[in-house]
Amino acid sequence: MRLVQFRRRGQEGAGAARVGVEQEGGTVVDLNALDPSLPHSMRALLDTGDRGLDIARRAVSSSQCVVPRSELVLLPPVSGPDKVVCVGMNYRDHCLEQFPSAITGPHDDITLPLESQEVDWEVELAFVIGRGGKNISEGAALSHVAGFMVANDVSARDWQMNRNGKQWLLGKTFDTFCPLGPALVTTDALSDPHSLGIRCRVNGSVVQDSNTSQMIFKTEALVAWVSKFVTLVPGDVFLTGTPPGVGVFRNPPVFLKSGDVVECEVDEIGVIRNTVV
């Protein structure tokens, strides 16, 4: 099942957001039209537990309340999470928290900040907590995960590596620096989230190409480790680290410039495509 947040074209503002199920061909079943009692955000839908997801599953086989792709704009599958947990280099001792305001949609622009001249790409597999908890065991961890997304953990390397005492936070949290999408794909819809091709293209050229099987710590370990320290709640977003190929470690280094188009892709989940402005 492919869960999405979207708005109808021509409708703007926070109240325009809706939740739906993406179908083959890109049409979306509008869950709020199908059941007006459902909340209008993914975070709130996940907070309803099995009720909301059961309605979503029934909607997959429904031919009602279908919105054509041409009449909608995809939003980030999850917005306004309580936490965005980033796993640097996929080591347990490199977790940090990002500002949720960095999140943007799968086709929205990435805005270059005036404060940075070294903005870089990072394709990542992301997952979202569907059921909260504390001290979650690895064996139970996947039952707390609602699904997976593609992320681009855009990074201002000058702020991450050289400025602000070399603390990572500010380099990761400029507005629009966390495109997510194109959908929240539930775990049961994936063959194996830890055996998926993952790649990034800049202006059509492949710059990162790997497989999630190369992750050092898998989803279960990340959920178990982080939940030792903080209580996880529905809607929390995890970014699981990026494979080799980022611009800062190229010789010479390569950074994003206005007009560049960045495509991040994970097999079975999809592609997010963002233009740099």
Side-chain angles (χ1 to χ4, degrees):
M1 186 166 57
R2 300 177 62 87
L3 300 169
V4 296
Q5 285 188 147
F6 71 99
R7 63 172 174 83
R8 291 177 179 268
R9 292 192 181 276
Q11 297 182 355
E12 302 285 347
R18 306 177 76 82
V19 291
V21 180
E22 187 180 51
Q23 298 182 308
E24 192 172 348
T27 60
V28 170
V29 177
D30 186 340
L31 294 179
N32 296 117
L34 194 67
D35 187 337
S37 71
L38 287 176
H40 283 238
S41 76
M42 191 68 68
R43 179 180 174 184
L45 179 71
L46 294 175
D47 213 22
T48 67
D50 291 340
R51 173 179 172 269
L53 293 180
D54 286 345
I55 293 172
R57 291 187 185 96
R58 292 198 298 271
V60 173
S61 59
S62 170
S63 58
Q64 297 178 312
C65 305
V66 176
V67 183
R69 182 69 181 86
S70 61
E71 296 180 12
L72 61 87
V73 175
L74 289 177
L75 303 175
V78 176
S79 52
D82 185 70
K83 292 180 283 297
V84 179
V85 179
C86 305
V87 185
M89 301 178 70
N90 204 346
Y91 281 92
R92 289 179 175 174
D93 58 351
H94 281 77
C95 287
L96 57 94
E97 192 169 347
Q98 188 181 91
F99 294 149
S101 57
I103 290 175
T104 193
H107 304 120
D108 292 339
D109 292 338
I110 297 168
T111 302
L112 293 175
L114 295 175
E115 295 81 3
S116 176
Q117 305 302 313
E118 298 182 356
V119 176
D120 202 352
W121 59 83
E122 287 189 8
V123 62
E124 304 199 15
L125 177 70
F127 65 86
V128 179
I129 297 298
R131 184 163 62 93
K134 183 78 161 57
N135 294 316
I136 300 166
S137 70
E138 286 195 27
L142 279 183
S143 69
H144 289 259
V145 174
F148 293 81
M149 308 178 290
V150 182
N152 185 357
D153 187 14
V154 182
S155 304
R157 301 299 187 194
D158 38 8
W159 283 91
Q160 179 187 4
M161 296 180 170
N162 299 311
R163 304 173 70 175
N164 195 43
K166 298 186 179 181
Q167 298 181 53
W168 283 22
L169 180 62
L170 291 184
K172 296 281 188 177
T173 52
F174 286 99
D175 289 352
T176 74
F177 268 28
C178 189
L180 297 175
L184 176 62
V185 181
T186 54
T187 307
D188 58 3
L190 296 174
S191 57
D192 180 355
H194 303 121
S195 184
L196 300 174
I198 180 170
R199 61 197 63 86
C200 177
R201 294 179 291 271
V202 177
N203 300 325
S205 297
V206 176
V207 292
Q208 292 178 279
D209 191 2
S210 187
N211 193 287
T212 58
S213 63
Q214 300 301 305
M215 290 167 51
I216 298 170
F217 296 104
K218 307 299 193 269
T219 301
E220 297 91 333
L222 297 176
V223 170
W225 178 254
V226 174
S227 69
K228 292 179 184 293
F229 305 97
V230 296
T231 299
L232 300 179
V233 299
D236 283 347
V237 175
F238 279 65
L239 308 186
T240 63
T242 195
V246 296
V248 70
F249 295 126
R250 292 173 176 265
N251 188 16
V254 177
F255 299 110
L256 295 172
K257 61 186 184 301
S258 182
D260 285 346
V261 176
V262 186
E263 296 173 289
C264 294
E265 180 178 15
V266 178
D267 291 350
E268 300 183 27
I269 299 177
V271 181
I272 60 176
R273 184 179 187 272
N274 305 93
T275 300
V276 180
V277 299

